[in-house]
Amino acid sequence: MEKNEARSGIVLIIIAVIFTLVTLILPFNKNIVFWISWLFGILAVGACAFALKSAFRGGVYGGEGARSKFYGFPIAKIGLIYMVAQLVLSLIFMAIGSMLPLYIPVVISLILLGMTAIGMIGADAVRDEVERQDIRLTTDTKCIQNLRSIVYPLAAQCSDSEASSALQKLADDFRYSDPVSSENTSDIEKDLTAQMSELQAAVIEGNASDIKELCGKIGITLTERNRLCKLGKKK
């Protein structure tokens, strides 16, 4: 993490140094327009550093994976585009600085900075909402995912052919069930969890009749849960 941040920081420092040296070496008129343009150029480099830091919190820098990186790319892109645009504009303003009134580069640079700030704030808000929804979806699917992980291997643990077929059918029912839970399904999912515990015990004991009975009962409960899921989506 620290190495990636250090590399990014070094690259941006190099850009700032090269920009400064180029502007000092070129035969620009070192008037107030020149120094204001230089200041906005350096500010753009700093803003890009802030954008990269904000964009990849927990992603490139924090290591939460490709999903976090993907969510941060729009913020980073805005920062990079702003930096390049402002550096180019600064060089143009410096080149024609003797013919420009001071307010032109100031106003244009401020407008560009303001648009960048608004864009970064908006992109960050979208990223936060997407991450929140993603976390919520992961949480909402946890119950069914856990029940699936329990029911899938049970058929292979059962020696009775009829009971094994019932377990396989139940596993298929779970596979094609709506994975997203809601407030409407919380109570019935508690019933499913309890029934699944009973089914596990029956499989361990090798009680074929109980296995078939519990598979039928769980299948009915699962069907009712799926019906509640559909009703919740219609609302």
Side-chain angles (χ1 to χ4, degrees):
M1 179 178 77
E2 294 179 357
K3 287 183 178 180
N4 287 330
E5 289 187 6
R7 291 188 186 112
S8 299
I10 290 171
V11 169
L12 291 175
I13 289 172
I14 292 173
I15 291 173
V17 170
I18 291 175
F19 171 71
T20 299
L21 291 177
V22 167
T23 57
L24 292 176
I25 292 172
L26 292 176
F28 294 141
N29 185 3
K30 306 301 190 293
N31 56 13
I32 186 64
V33 171
F34 173 89
W35 292 110
I36 288 294
S37 301
W38 174 84
L39 180 62
F40 274 107
I42 297 300
L43 181 62
V45 177
C48 183
F50 175 79
L52 292 175
K53 180 75 173 180
S54 175
F56 298 125
R57 66 186 189 206
V60 171
Y61 298 145
E64 287 184 6
R67 185 171 295 177
S68 295
K69 297 177 186 179
F70 178 77
Y71 292 158
F73 280 143
I75 303 172
K77 184 177 180 180
I78 291 172
L80 289 169
I81 291 174
Y82 167 62
M83 180 183 70
V84 173
Q86 181 59 62
L87 291 178
V88 171
L89 278 175
S90 293
L91 290 172
I92 293 173
F93 292 149
M94 291 175 183
I96 59 176
S98 58
M99 300 180 290
L100 283 180
L102 178 60
Y103 73 86
I104 291 180
V106 171
V107 169
I108 293 176
S109 297
L110 285 175
I111 290 174
L112 184 60
L113 177 60
M115 291 173 61
T116 301
I118 292 171
M120 287 176 59
I121 292 170
D124 191 50
V126 171
R127 189 261 304 272
D128 287 344
E129 178 61 20
V130 171
E131 288 184 340
R132 186 184 69 81
Q133 293 290 346
D134 191 50
I135 292 171
R136 179 182 175 184
L137 180 60
T138 301
T139 302
D140 288 347
T141 59
K142 187 175 182 180
C143 177
I144 291 298
Q145 294 293 349
N146 288 340
L147 292 175
R148 284 174 175 172
S149 67
I150 293 172
V151 73
Y152 286 169
L154 290 182
Q157 301 172 23
C158 183
S159 58
D160 184 89
S161 59
E162 291 184 4
S164 179
S165 296
L167 288 168
Q168 186 59 55
K169 180 181 182 303
L170 183 63
D172 290 338
D173 290 341
F174 270 97
R175 181 177 289 109
Y176 298 114
S177 293
D178 191 326
V180 182
S181 302
S182 66
E183 293 180 1
N184 295 333
T185 62
S186 59
D187 290 337
I188 201 167
E189 284 170 356
K190 291 177 183 177
D191 294 339
L192 276 172
T193 302
Q195 291 170 358
M196 193 65 70
S197 297
E198 294 180 31
L199 180 61
Q200 278 184 295
V203 172
I204 292 172
E205 294 171 1
N207 194 327
S209 61
D210 284 354
I211 292 172
K212 288 184 284 186
E213 181 182 349
L214 285 167
C215 283
K217 186 186 296 184
I218 293 172
I220 293 171
T221 307
L222 185 60
T223 299
E224 177 61 17
R225 177 202 172 269
N226 291 335
R227 186 185 70 83
L228 293 174
C229 288
K230 289 181 180 179
L231 288 175
K233 289 179 179 179
K234 288 180 180 178
K235 293 178 181 180

Short mmCIF file of all heavy atoms in Angstrom, two decimals, residues 129-154:
data_model
loop_
_atom_site.label_atom_id
_atom_site.label_comp_id
_atom_site.label_asym_id
_atom_site.label_seq_id
_atom_site.Cartn_x
_atom_site.Cartn_y
_atom_site.Cartn_z
N GLU A 129 -22.72 5.21 -2.79
CA GLU A 129 -24.03 4.58 -2.88
C GLU A 129 -23.93 3.18 -3.49
O GLU A 129 -24.58 2.23 -3.02
CB GLU A 129 -24.97 5.45 -3.72
CG GLU A 129 -26.36 4.87 -3.93
CD GLU A 129 -27.15 4.65 -2.65
OE1 GLU A 129 -26.82 5.28 -1.62
OE2 GLU A 129 -28.09 3.83 -2.66
N VAL A 130 -23.10 3.04 -4.52
CA VAL A 130 -22.93 1.74 -5.16
C VAL A 130 -22.31 0.75 -4.19
O VAL A 130 -22.73 -0.42 -4.09
CB VAL A 130 -22.06 1.86 -6.43
CG1 VAL A 130 -21.70 0.48 -6.97
CG2 VAL A 130 -22.79 2.65 -7.50
N GLU A 131 -21.31 1.19 -3.43
CA GLU A 131 -20.68 0.32 -2.44
C GLU A 131 -21.67 -0.06 -1.35
O GLU A 131 -21.68 -1.21 -0.88
CB GLU A 131 -19.46 1.00 -1.84
CG GLU A 131 -18.28 1.09 -2.78
CD GLU A 131 -17.06 1.69 -2.13
OE1 GLU A 131 -17.22 2.38 -1.10
OE2 GLU A 131 -15.95 1.48 -2.64
N ARG A 132 -22.51 0.90 -0.93
CA ARG A 132 -23.50 0.61 0.10
C ARG A 132 -24.50 -0.44 -0.40
O ARG A 132 -24.85 -1.38 0.33
CB ARG A 132 -24.24 1.89 0.49
CG ARG A 132 -25.19 1.72 1.67
CD ARG A 132 -25.95 3.01 1.93
NE ARG A 132 -26.91 3.29 0.87
CZ ARG A 132 -28.12 2.71 0.80
NH1 ARG A 132 -28.50 1.82 1.70
NH2 ARG A 132 -28.93 3.03 -0.19
N GLN A 133 -24.95 -0.28 -1.64
CA GLN A 133 -25.89 -1.23 -2.21
C GLN A 133 -25.24 -2.61 -2.37
O GLN A 133 -25.89 -3.65 -2.17
CB GLN A 133 -26.40 -0.74 -3.57
CG GLN A 133 -27.27 0.51 -3.51
CD GLN A 133 -28.63 0.24 -2.87
OE1 GLN A 133 -29.04 -0.90 -2.69
NE2 GLN A 133 -29.33 1.30 -2.52
N ASP A 134 -23.96 -2.60 -2.73
CA ASP A 134 -23.25 -3.85 -2.91
C ASP A 134 -23.11 -4.61 -1.59
O ASP A 134 -23.30 -5.83 -1.53
CB ASP A 134 -21.86 -3.57 -3.50
CG ASP A 134 -21.17 -4.83 -3.96
OD1 ASP A 134 -21.79 -5.61 -4.69
OD2 ASP A 134 -20.02 -5.04 -3.57
N ILE A 135 -22.79 -3.86 -0.53
CA ILE A 135 -22.68 -4.47 0.80
C ILE A 135 -24.03 -4.99 1.25
O ILE A 135 -24.14 -6.09 1.81
CB ILE A 135 -22.13 -3.44 1.81
CG1 ILE A 135 -20.67 -3.11 1.48
CG2 ILE A 135 -22.24 -3.98 3.24
CD1 ILE A 135 -20.12 -1.95 2.28
N ARG A 136 -25.07 -4.21 0.99
CA ARG A 136 -26.41 -4.63 1.38
C ARG A 136 -26.83 -5.89 0.64
O ARG A 136 -27.42 -6.81 1.23
CB ARG A 136 -27.42 -3.50 1.09
CG ARG A 136 -28.85 -3.86 1.45
CD ARG A 136 -29.79 -2.74 1.10
NE ARG A 136 -31.18 -3.12 1.33
CZ ARG A 136 -32.23 -2.36 1.04
NH1 ARG A 136 -32.04 -1.17 0.50
NH2 ARG A 136 -33.44 -2.79 1.29
N LEU A 137 -26.53 -5.96 -0.67
CA LEU A 137 -26.90 -7.14 -1.45
C LEU A 137 -26.16 -8.38 -0.95
O LEU A 137 -26.73 -9.46 -0.85
CB LEU A 137 -26.57 -6.91 -2.93
CG LEU A 137 -26.90 -8.07 -3.88
CD1 LEU A 137 -28.38 -8.39 -3.84
CD2 LEU A 137 -26.46 -7.74 -5.29
N THR A 138 -24.87 -8.19 -0.61
CA THR A 138 -24.09 -9.31 -0.07
C THR A 138 -24.70 -9.82 1.22
O THR A 138 -24.81 -11.02 1.46
CB THR A 138 -22.63 -8.88 0.16
OG1 THR A 138 -22.07 -8.44 -1.08
CG2 THR A 138 -21.82 -10.03 0.71
N THR A 139 -25.12 -8.87 2.08
CA THR A 139 -25.75 -9.23 3.35
C THR A 139 -27.09 -9.91 3.12
O THR A 139 -27.42 -10.90 3.77
CB THR A 139 -25.94 -7.98 4.23
OG1 THR A 139 -24.66 -7.36 4.44
CG2 THR A 139 -26.53 -8.35 5.58
N ASP A 140 -27.87 -9.38 2.17
CA ASP A 140 -29.21 -9.90 1.92
C ASP A 140 -29.20 -11.30 1.31
O ASP A 140 -30.19 -12.02 1.40
CB ASP A 140 -29.97 -8.95 0.99
CG ASP A 140 -30.37 -7.65 1.69
OD1 ASP A 140 -30.28 -7.60 2.92
OD2 ASP A 140 -30.76 -6.70 0.99
N THR A 141 -28.11 -11.70 0.68
CA THR A 141 -28.04 -13.03 0.07
C THR A 141 -27.33 -14.04 0.98
O THR A 141 -27.22 -15.21 0.61
CB THR A 141 -27.29 -12.97 -1.27
OG1 THR A 141 -25.97 -12.45 -1.06
CG2 THR A 141 -28.04 -12.08 -2.26
N LYS A 142 -26.89 -13.60 2.14
CA LYS A 142 -26.10 -14.47 3.00
C LYS A 142 -26.90 -15.67 3.50
O LYS A 142 -26.38 -16.80 3.55
CB LYS A 142 -25.57 -13.66 4.19
CG LYS A 142 -24.58 -14.43 5.06
CD LYS A 142 -24.00 -13.54 6.14
CE LYS A 142 -22.99 -14.29 6.97
NZ LYS A 142 -22.42 -13.43 8.04
N CYS A 143 -28.16 -15.46 3.86
CA CYS A 143 -28.97 -16.54 4.42
C CYS A 143 -29.13 -17.69 3.42
O CYS A 143 -28.85 -18.86 3.74
CB CYS A 143 -30.34 -16.01 4.83
SG CYS A 143 -31.45 -17.30 5.47
N ILE A 144 -29.59 -17.38 2.21
CA ILE A 144 -29.82 -18.42 1.20
C ILE A 144 -28.50 -19.06 0.78
O ILE A 144 -28.44 -20.28 0.55
CB ILE A 144 -30.57 -17.84 -0.01
CG1 ILE A 144 -32.00 -17.49 0.39
CG2 ILE A 144 -30.58 -18.83 -1.16
CD1 ILE A 144 -32.83 -18.68 0.85
N GLN A 145 -27.44 -18.28 0.70
CA GLN A 145 -26.14 -18.85 0.35
C GLN A 145 -25.70 -19.87 1.39
O GLN A 145 -25.17 -20.95 1.06
CB GLN A 145 -25.08 -17.74 0.22
CG GLN A 145 -25.30 -16.78 -0.93
CD GLN A 145 -25.13 -17.44 -2.29
OE1 GLN A 145 -24.65 -18.56 -2.40
NE2 GLN A 145 -25.54 -16.75 -3.35
N ASN A 146 -25.94 -19.56 2.67
CA ASN A 146 -25.58 -20.49 3.74
C ASN A 146 -26.41 -21.78 3.65
O ASN A 146 -25.88 -22.89 3.82
CB ASN A 146 -25.78 -19.83 5.11
CG ASN A 146 -24.74 -18.77 5.40
OD1 ASN A 146 -23.66 -18.76 4.80
ND2 ASN A 146 -25.03 -17.87 6.32
N LEU A 147 -27.72 -21.61 3.40
CA LEU A 147 -28.59 -22.79 3.30
C LEU A 147 -28.21 -23.64 2.09
O LEU A 147 -28.25 -24.88 2.15
CB LEU A 147 -30.05 -22.34 3.21
CG LEU A 147 -30.63 -21.69 4.47
CD1 LEU A 147 -32.05 -21.19 4.22
CD2 LEU A 147 -30.62 -22.66 5.64
N ARG A 148 -27.83 -23.00 0.99
CA ARG A 148 -27.39 -23.75 -0.18
C ARG A 148 -26.13 -24.56 0.12
O ARG A 148 -26.02 -25.72 -0.30
CB ARG A 148 -27.12 -22.79 -1.34
CG ARG A 148 -28.37 -22.24 -2.02
CD ARG A 148 -28.00 -21.19 -3.05
NE ARG A 148 -29.16 -20.71 -3.80
CZ ARG A 148 -29.13 -19.69 -4.64
NH1 ARG A 148 -27.99 -19.03 -4.85
NH2 ARG A 148 -30.23 -19.32 -5.27
N SER A 149 -25.20 -23.94 0.84
CA SER A 149 -23.96 -24.64 1.16
C SER A 149 -24.21 -25.85 2.05
O SER A 149 -23.42 -26.81 2.04
CB SER A 149 -22.98 -23.68 1.85
OG SER A 149 -23.47 -23.29 3.13
N ILE A 150 -25.31 -25.81 2.81
CA ILE A 150 -25.67 -26.94 3.67
C ILE A 150 -26.33 -28.05 2.87
O ILE A 150 -25.99 -29.24 3.00
CB ILE A 150 -26.60 -26.48 4.82
CG1 ILE A 150 -25.85 -25.54 5.77
CG2 ILE A 150 -27.15 -27.69 5.59
CD1 ILE A 150 -26.75 -24.89 6.80
N VAL A 151 -27.29 -27.69 2.00
CA VAL A 151 -28.11 -28.70 1.34
C VAL A 151 -27.40 -29.38 0.18
O VAL A 151 -27.66 -30.56 -0.11
CB VAL A 151 -29.45 -28.09 0.88
CG1 VAL A 151 -29.26 -27.19 -0.33
CG2 VAL A 151 -30.48 -29.19 0.58
N TYR A 152 -26.50 -28.69 -0.51
CA TYR A 152 -25.89 -29.26 -1.71
C TYR A 152 -25.16 -30.59 -1.47
O TYR A 152 -25.32 -31.54 -2.27
CB TYR A 152 -24.92 -28.26 -2.35
CG TYR A 152 -25.60 -27.11 -3.06
CD1 TYR A 152 -24.88 -26.00 -3.49
CD2 TYR A 152 -26.96 -27.12 -3.32
CE1 TYR A 152 -25.49 -24.94 -4.15
CE2 TYR A 152 -27.59 -26.06 -3.98
CZ TYR A 152 -26.85 -24.98 -4.39
OH TYR A 152 -27.46 -23.93 -5.04
N PRO A 153 -24.36 -30.74 -0.41
CA PRO A 153 -23.63 -32.01 -0.25
C PRO A 153 -24.43 -33.13 0.42
O PRO A 153 -23.92 -34.25 0.52
CB PRO A 153 -22.45 -31.60 0.63
CG PRO A 153 -22.94 -30.45 1.44
CD PRO A 153 -23.94 -29.73 0.58
N LEU A 154 -25.66 -32.86 0.87
CA LEU A 154 -26.38 -33.85 1.65
C LEU A 154 -26.74 -35.10 0.85
O LEU A 154 -26.72 -36.22 1.37
CB LEU A 154 -27.65 -33.23 2.24
CG LEU A 154 -27.45 -32.19 3.35
CD1 LEU A 154 -28.79 -31.70 3.87
CD2 LEU A 154 -26.61 -32.76 4.48
#
